[in-house]
Amino acid sequence: MEPLKVTAEQIGLHPGEEYEEDQLELDLGNLLAFDPEPVEAGGDIDGACLSLATKLTQTLISKLFKLPTEASDAGPLALLPPPSTLLPRAKPIPKPREPTKWEKFAKQKGIQKRKRSKLVFDEDNQEYRRRFGYKRAGDMSEVPIIEANKSNEGQEDPFAAQKKQKRERVKAQDKRQLENLKVTARAGGAAALPSTLRLAASLPEHGKGRPAKRKELHDDIKVASRQAGVATASMGKFDKRLKGEKAGERRLPGKQRKFAPVADPTGTERTIQTSMVDKMLRERADDVLDVGKAVGRMEAGRRETRRQEKQQHGDDGPSLIGTGMKKRGKMAGRSKHGRSADAPSSDRKGGSRGKVAGGASKKRMSQGSSLRKGRGGGGGSKRRGGKS
Amino acid sequence: MAGPQLPPQTKLVKPKTKRGKRALEKREPKLVEDTKKALLLHGGKVSQVVQDALGSINKLKQGECVRYTRRNDDARPFEAGGEARLEHFARKSDCSLFALANHSKKRPHNIVLGRFYNHQLLDMLEFGIEQHKSIAAFRAAASAVQVGNKPCMAFAGDGFTQVPELKLAKSLLIDFFRGQQVASVNLKGFKHVILVATLDRRLHLRQYAISLKRSGTKVPRVELEEMGPRLELSLRRVQAAAPDVESLAMKQPKTSKKKEKNVSTDLLEGKVARVYVPQQNLDTIALRKTKGSKRERRSSKLEEVAAAAAGVERPAKQARSS
């Protein structure tokens, strides 16, 4: 019997009709296909739509099936490229948070945040406890007895004092937070604030957010009345004095020049001038000590001396040691060359100039320092001392 | 640049509950945004046709929308100041798309589709509904489609490249119906396709259920069945986005790529990398040994003595071998 030949079409298997290459604009990231040719309806729009949709979907799906896939429990997942159709965003791109006063200072000073363990050993309870929060190590509020000593004897209740201190710390932190947020709001408007926080105008706080009473605002009223008093053409000179107003009170507070005494045995002039110099220095003290920089500078100096030392050693080495050592010296020289060849030349000279080198060379420096420690820096330091 | 003046007395307003805080955090601008939510609402008067069409859009949008059912006489986005009400609602419901339905003698069966940027009106298009057939009017082809299923989209017609209003319509409709943005998609999960064809400034919006049949190849054959809703829309008024606002809205975030260490580009050599090679110990390295490189016993002994004199340590292994 001859085998029966059956084509795929005969058993109802046939691939759908597809568009040619480059006839469509495809955006696989959005599962989107676009045919830019005019639609030919010819009276039957429904039929035209169906055939268009079928052809477009067939092309789109065949493209999607050719994408790289990833296996999953629910079946193969096609990895989509990012969408190519640009659409407007719903909201602006979030901006990075303005650094706080502390963060600015820490950056200037080169202080780096270090990771601390969540648990610490609590000596009192002889177990590991959380560093912060509920049931923390060394929680003073859980201590039943506070021993009297010289500092707290005869004073107020130490437990109350603790609570008070805590309240004050919280209040101080709230104040710092508010100040930081105010700076942020001034720089970038209300939109720059975190989404959960809002700054609102408020009356001066007396008690629990209660508006101030008239009696408490007495001074403000007084100032207002004095200002009103001088707000006339004669600056209040010819106006009637108010009830309870004293003679000189209405005069505008002008700037009064003060002269330091000519002969001054108490040294007031000296203190004034030194304080002014101090203030200026403080204002201009932008480059506060950067620890990282300083360490780098010192390392570079040490490296330079070590290099010089080595050179000296290499010059008179061969005569002393002989062939074996000569070989070793050569090797050391070669490897050193190999290591520093990739570094820029200025970097190599860094030590002599006392310049601070970049991150990559810093690493190398630290390696050097550890080597030096291993050999014992005694001889080296002696030599350095002799040289200087 | 001086920012806005703050009042002398300022206090910090924090959310009172954790739940409130979470709700606020949900709304804050994100680097990669969620699916845009649509606000569906009525203008002044509505007809049954637009009301049904709004219901159909609700179905198409699959729950990613907020529907208001009361009339809002003051929502007239094409009139000066008429968008204030819409923007207010958008802010309240945190929606960035809207579909406003109304019906008048001048503009019967009217529907306005538009979008917001940062809760402010960006652009919008007004359509008249010429024909509407809801999902219920078709056979139960829609039953296979589940909520949250990302639809395929197909556009056809030269108008989408030539007529500015239709270009906007294409962008708007993609924004409305594309669903969740995903990095991967299940190959078995293509359940429906939304077709938008344009002919003589009219949009024909159809939705079909997809069934994938065997084709004898790896790629299946697609068979479609109309599942509704079917909408025929004619173009009416348009308001495009202001160019400055549009450029702001179109700004895409930079996807932060981690900086490669020790790799730089050179003008002559292209990509240049620095490689750290640890110091090699040539004494212990496995090299091809030739007769000539072997040391004689006597000379090695001399060497050892010399080394001892210099006070240099030698590796123990080598000392034994000599």
Side-chain angles (χ1 to χ4, degrees):
Chain A
M1 236 177 85
E2 232 173 77
L4 209 66
K5 281 187 181 170
V6 182
T7 56
E9 274 78 11
Q10 276 171 321
I11 53 167
L13 292 178
H14 56 89
E17 203 188 345
E18 273 189 45
Y19 279 87
E20 307 257 310
E21 281 291 317
D22 302 335
Q23 269 187 321
L24 289 188
E25 287 172 22
L26 286 163
D27 177 5
L28 297 182
N30 279 330
L31 307 185
L32 183 133
F34 168 46
D35 175 13
E37 291 299 309
V39 177
E40 283 159 20
D44 178 21
I45 186 76
D46 293 343
C49 276
L50 180 61
S51 66
L52 261 173
T54 311
K55 217 173 152 185
L56 277 161
T57 316
Q58 181 68 58
T59 319
L60 181 68
I61 285 199
S62 82
K63 285 277 183 310
L64 287 166
F65 267 74
K66 281 165 195 161
L67 286 175
T69 53
E70 193 180 63
S72 81
D73 296 342
L77 299 177
L79 301 174
L80 298 175
S84 58
T85 313
L86 272 186
L87 295 170
R89 283 177 63 88
K91 280 167 198 172
I93 301 165
K95 281 183 192 147
R97 186 173 55 81
E98 190 91 355
T100 61
K101 198 175 171 184
W102 160 254
E103 280 165 349
K104 276 181 202 155
F105 175 73
K107 199 182 169 218
Q108 195 185 37
K109 199 128 195 233
I111 300 168
Q112 268 163 0
K113 208 172 178 176
R114 67 198 152 89
K115 195 93 185 160
R116 288 204 293 184
S117 62
K118 249 183 185 174
L119 294 177
V120 283
F121 193 73
D122 188 12
E123 291 290 342
D124 298 343
N125 295 296
Q126 288 298 308
E127 61 177 3
Y128 277 95
R129 288 193 162 199
R130 270 187 282 266
R131 192 184 290 276
F132 297 109
Y134 177 62
K135 275 195 174 174
R136 64 176 172 271
D139 188 358
M140 287 305 284
S141 63
E142 278 184 4
V143 176
I145 299 162
I146 298 176
E147 272 182 44
N149 54 26
K150 269 183 189 166
S151 65
N152 66 8
E153 213 171 1
Q155 302 256 325
E156 54 175 328
D157 176 13
F159 292 100
Q162 258 177 28
K163 271 185 191 165
K164 197 182 159 198
Q165 277 169 8
K166 168 81 181 167
R167 265 202 305 276
E168 277 165 5
R169 281 202 302 276
V170 170
K171 211 172 177 184
Q173 178 52 30
D174 283 347
K175 203 179 153 197
R176 279 193 288 268
Q177 188 190 14
L178 183 62
E179 280 309 310
N180 280 322
L181 288 168
K182 271 186 191 171
V183 169
T184 309
R186 256 181 238 121
L193 293 175
S195 64
T196 54
L197 299 176
R198 194 163 54 83
L199 288 176
S202 74
L203 287 164
E205 202 174 320
H206 287 271
K208 283 171 189 162
R210 176 171 50 83
K213 280 183 176 169
R214 195 180 165 80
K215 210 177 182 181
E216 292 159 340
L217 288 171
H218 193 257
D219 283 346
D220 293 349
I221 294 164
K222 208 171 170 186
V223 168
S225 88
R226 297 292 173 273
Q227 280 180 343
V230 292
T232 59
S234 65
M235 307 270 275
K237 195 175 178 186
F238 305 112
D239 291 69
K240 238 187 208 167
R241 205 180 293 164
L242 292 171
K243 197 183 166 191
E245 191 185 343
K246 281 166 199 139
E249 242 180 344
R250 200 176 273 188
R251 208 186 301 136
L252 277 178
K255 245 189 188 173
Q256 283 189 346
R257 283 188 74 183
K258 270 184 194 166
F259 295 96
V262 181
D264 189 13
T266 56
T268 351
E269 197 180 347
R270 193 190 173 84
T271 35
I272 288 169
Q273 289 193 349
T274 41
S275 71
M276 194 164 77
V277 169
D278 278 350
K279 196 186 159 199
M280 279 171 76
L281 283 175
R282 232 179 295 129
E283 277 168 358
R284 279 158 186 72
D286 276 332
D287 47 354
V288 204
L289 179 69
D290 185 336
V291 181
K293 241 185 191 179
V295 168
R297 213 170 267 193
M298 217 162 100
E299 286 276 340
R302 276 192 196 166
R303 205 167 57 127
E304 177 59 15
T305 40
R306 200 158 57 86
R307 196 178 64 83
Q308 282 171 0
E309 231 168 71
K310 228 180 187 178
Q311 252 177 7
Q312 263 187 359
H313 192 72
D315 290 342
D316 50 22
S319 61
L320 262 172
I321 295 161
T323 46
M325 202 50 226
K326 201 172 181 182
K327 195 174 167 191
R328 180 168 279 228
K330 243 186 197 171
M331 256 159 21
R334 199 183 304 150
S335 63
K336 192 197 154 206
H337 181 75
R339 267 170 94 192
S340 52
D342 49 20
S345 57
S346 65
D347 202 51
R348 250 180 282 156
K349 283 176 195 164
S352 61
R353 282 191 203 161
K355 213 175 169 184
V356 176
S361 52
K362 238 183 213 171
K363 215 177 219 171
R364 229 174 280 139
M365 267 194 263
S366 66
Q367 256 179 1
S369 71
S370 70
L371 274 172
R372 194 168 58 242
K373 263 178 213 160
R375 271 188 213 162
S381 62
K382 254 180 218 165
R383 245 182 225 135
R384 209 181 303 138
K387 256 185 104 184
S388 64
Chain B
M1 214 179 78
Q5 280 288 309
L6 288 171
Q9 290 291 332
T10 331
K11 68 174 179 187
L12 190 59
V13 184
K14 290 178 187 171
K16 286 204 176 65
T17 59
K18 199 79 184 166
R19 196 177 175 192
K21 192 180 176 187
R22 279 197 297 270
L24 286 173
E25 276 168 354
K26 236 182 192 175
R27 284 163 171 241
E28 70 187 6
K30 295 179 186 74
L31 209 62
V32 178
E33 294 189 312
D34 304 332
T35 316
K36 284 185 177 181
K37 271 201 298 181
L39 174 66
L40 310 181
L41 73 169
H42 298 170
K45 231 163 62 176
V46 286
S47 63
Q48 192 58 46
V49 174
V50 279
Q51 232 172 331
D52 292 347
L54 217 56
S56 288
I57 290 173
N58 191 7
K59 283 239 170 71
L60 270 175
K61 198 60 185 134
Q62 295 183 327
E64 290 288 345
C65 46
V66 177
R67 199 169 175 197
Y68 287 0
T69 48
R70 281 198 221 166
R71 59 187 284 174
N72 302 289
D73 286 312
D74 45 359
R76 297 164 186 274
F78 281 99
E79 285 167 27
E83 76 281 355
R85 195 84 192 141
L86 276 178
E87 285 171 359
H88 170 70
F89 286 146
R91 186 165 288 111
K92 279 199 89 170
S93 58
D94 194 32
C95 286
S96 47
L97 298 164
F98 74 91
L100 175 74
N102 52 26
H103 176 69
S104 66
K105 199 172 178 185
K106 193 175 179 185
R107 294 189 186 85
H109 313 305
N110 206 40
I111 192 158
V112 185
L113 301 183
R115 53 191 163 190
F116 301 99
Y117 171 65
N118 204 11
H119 302 313
Q120 278 176 336
L121 191 65
L122 184 72
D123 47 17
M124 56 185 167
L125 267 175
E126 193 176 45
F127 298 104
I129 297 170
E130 307 282 312
Q131 191 201 4
H132 171 251
K133 234 171 144 183
S134 69
I135 289 181
F138 294 88
R139 287 200 301 144
S143 56
V145 181
Q146 288 174 331
V147 172
N149 201 305
K150 191 173 166 73
C152 296
M153 296 195 83
F155 284 80
D158 52 345
F160 287 130
T161 50
Q162 287 162 8
V163 186
E165 291 94 324
L166 289 172
K167 257 188 210 171
L168 177 61
K170 187 178 164 225
S171 162
L172 203 56
L173 288 169
I174 295 172
D175 224 352
F176 248 89
F177 300 123
R178 69 168 167 171
Q180 206 184 343
Q181 279 199 70
V182 287
S184 63
V185 64
N186 193 339
L187 285 176
K188 288 178 192 163
F190 304 117
K191 295 290 182 202
H192 57 140
V193 56
I194 299 169
L195 173 86
V196 189
T198 178
L199 200 66
D200 316 324
R201 288 173 70 84
R202 273 181 189 208
L203 294 177
H204 298 270
L205 206 129
R206 309 286 160 107
Q207 200 180 200
Y208 301 93
I210 300 175
S211 44
L212 299 175
K213 300 280 160 110
R214 288 201 302 170
S215 71
T217 60
K218 197 187 153 197
V219 178
R221 181 166 48 87
V222 169
E223 265 182 24
L224 302 183
E225 190 186 354
E226 185 157 9
M227 61 180 241
R230 179 191 287 183
L231 271 169
E232 200 185 315
L233 306 167
S234 63
L235 213 58
R236 281 179 185 159
R237 288 179 288 179
V238 184
Q239 188 178 306
D244 52 337
V245 184
E246 195 185 15
S247 67
L248 264 181
M250 283 298 195
K251 221 178 232 175
Q252 300 299 322
K254 275 181 205 154
T255 44
S256 60
K257 222 176 156 189
K258 216 174 179 188
K259 199 181 171 277
E260 270 185 312
K261 266 187 170 178
N262 300 338
V263 176
S264 58
T265 45
D266 195 291
L267 211 62
L268 291 171
E269 291 164 297
K271 201 174 182 183
V272 179
R274 277 194 291 133
V275 182
Y276 173 71
V277 181
Q279 197 172 356
Q280 288 182 342
N281 191 354
L282 292 181
D283 289 342
T284 56
I285 202 166
L287 290 171
R288 203 166 67 107
K289 287 191 175 71
T290 53
K291 235 179 185 176
S293 69
K294 273 189 181 172
R295 286 178 291 120
E296 279 176 35
R297 280 179 180 252
R298 192 171 293 167
S299 69
S300 76
K301 205 140 221 180
L302 275 173
E303 244 172 61
E304 216 165 87
V305 172
V312 179
E313 282 174 54
R314 307 208 63 183
K317 202 176 167 188
Q318 196 161 1
R320 221 179 294 135
S321 73
S322 61

